[in-house]
Amino acid sequence: MAAGGFCKLPNGSVVVALTLPSPGPSAGARVRVLVHSVNRARALTRLRNLGLRSVYLRGNAEPPTPDEVTAVLHHPDGLIWRTAPTRDTQELWHPIRALLRRAAA
């Protein structure tokens, strides 16, 4: 099950953040995925349409931080990812196409 959460923006849209197991051969790695959409259901549908079929959001345990909201709002696709942040590493955000290409390789 994915850990994650959401926040509702003043214009009524939502940003959904999920921490998922990394697709592909990297065992144990996790990625943080952010989706900007009209509502939570559509955000999860966008991920499922990309091949992440078992994505569910239960609760609001890990909502997106203000920095994450800013990052996804400034991306033209509204769908970005990076490896789950740790204390000592901070990675830039990537478009979702990069994750799907990496998983296919």
Side-chain angles (χ1 to χ4, degrees), residues 1-7 15-21 30-35 56-66 68-69 82-85 93:
M1 185 169 71
F6 67 95
C7 70
V15 173
V16 174
L18 296 167
T19 304
L20 305 169
R30 299 183 65 76
V31 294
R32 181 85 165 163
V33 178
L34 296 173
V35 184
Y56 296 97
L57 180 62
R58 291 188 174 90
N60 201 14
E62 293 180 19
T65 64
E68 291 175 334
V69 172
R82 72 176 174 191
T83 55
W93 292 98

Side-chain angles (χ1 to χ4, degrees), residues 65 67-68 82-93:
T65 64
D67 290 339
E68 291 175 334
R82 72 176 174 191
T83 55
T86 59
R87 289 185 202 169
D88 54 343
T89 61
Q90 204 57 298
E91 183 181 356
L92 296 176
W93 292 98

Side-chain angles (χ1 to χ4, degrees), residues 5-65:
F6 67 95
C7 70
K8 194 163 189 156
L9 302 177
N11 66 356
S13 64
V14 297
V15 173
V16 174
L18 296 167
T19 304
L20 305 169
S22 178
S26 53
R30 299 183 65 76
V31 294
R32 181 85 165 163
V33 178
L34 296 173
V35 184
H36 177 237
S37 190
V38 176
N39 57 37
R40 286 180 287 172
R42 284 215 180 150
L44 296 176
T45 299
R46 287 184 72 187
L47 291 173
R48 290 182 189 125
N49 289 342
L50 291 171
L52 302 171
R53 297 284 179 207
S54 60
V55 175
Y56 296 97
L57 180 62
R58 291 188 174 90
N60 201 14
E62 293 180 19
T65 64

